[in-house]
Amino acid sequence: MPAGSSSKRERQYEHIKDSAEDRGASKGRAKEIAARTVNKERAQSGEAKSASRSSTKGKSPSRRGGEKSGSSRGGSGGGPTREQLYQEAKKKGVEGRSTMNKDQLAKALGRN
C-alpha cells in the first residue's frame, strides 16, 4: 500500500488479499489483485494523486463482482462448456455428437 493510505484501505487490502489466497491464488497474485482493486477504489473516490482514465471510468471492482474474470477468455464467453453440451447431447441421443464443436452441439440442442 502507498504511504499515507487510510486504515480503511489497509483493511480492505488485507481482506481482498486473504480472500484471493482462500480462493487458491498464490501470495504474489493475491497481493497484485488486492493492490489493483484498492488502487482503483482510491482513484475512483479521488484519494489518489493521479489516476488513469481506465481507473476512473466504469464500475468499481467491488460493484463489478468478477464480471471480467477468467471465464470470458477465449471462445464464445459464458454458458455451458463443450463437455457439458456433449453430455446433454449424449443423454438426448444426438447423432454425430462426438465430432461436433461447441457451437454445433449448441445448435443441435436448440440453444442458438
Side-chain angles (χ1 to χ4, degrees):
M1 290 295 306
S5 295
S6 69
S7 61
K8 174 185 175 182
R9 295 298 181 203
E10 294 285 345
R11 288 191 311 272
Q12 183 182 34
Y13 172 86
E14 288 300 324
H15 175 72
I16 295 167
K17 182 173 68 86
D18 292 343
S19 295
E21 287 176 359
D22 290 345
R23 288 190 313 270
S26 66
K27 285 194 182 286
R29 180 68 177 143
K31 286 180 181 180
E32 180 182 358
I33 291 168
R36 285 174 185 250
T37 304
V38 171
N39 285 340
K40 184 164 183 152
E41 295 276 352
R42 290 179 66 234
Q44 287 185 329
S45 66
E47 295 171 35
K49 289 182 183 176
S50 63
S52 67
R53 187 178 322 146
S54 63
S55 289
T56 57
K57 300 294 178 193
K59 291 182 184 177
S60 70
S62 58
R63 286 188 168 265
R64 195 175 74 224
E67 284 177 7
K68 294 185 178 181
S69 63
S71 63
S72 65
R73 290 185 198 153
S76 60
T81 64
R82 184 206 175 271
E83 181 61 25
Q84 290 168 328
L85 291 170
Y86 176 82
Q87 292 302 325
E88 185 178 338
K90 186 176 179 181
K91 285 180 187 174
K92 292 185 177 183
V94 175
E95 296 279 330
R97 65 186 173 270
S98 63
T99 58
M100 292 182 184
N101 64 29
K102 181 178 177 180
D103 291 335
Q104 292 167 331
L105 284 165
K107 188 174 181 179
L109 291 167
R111 296 220 178 176
N112 285 358

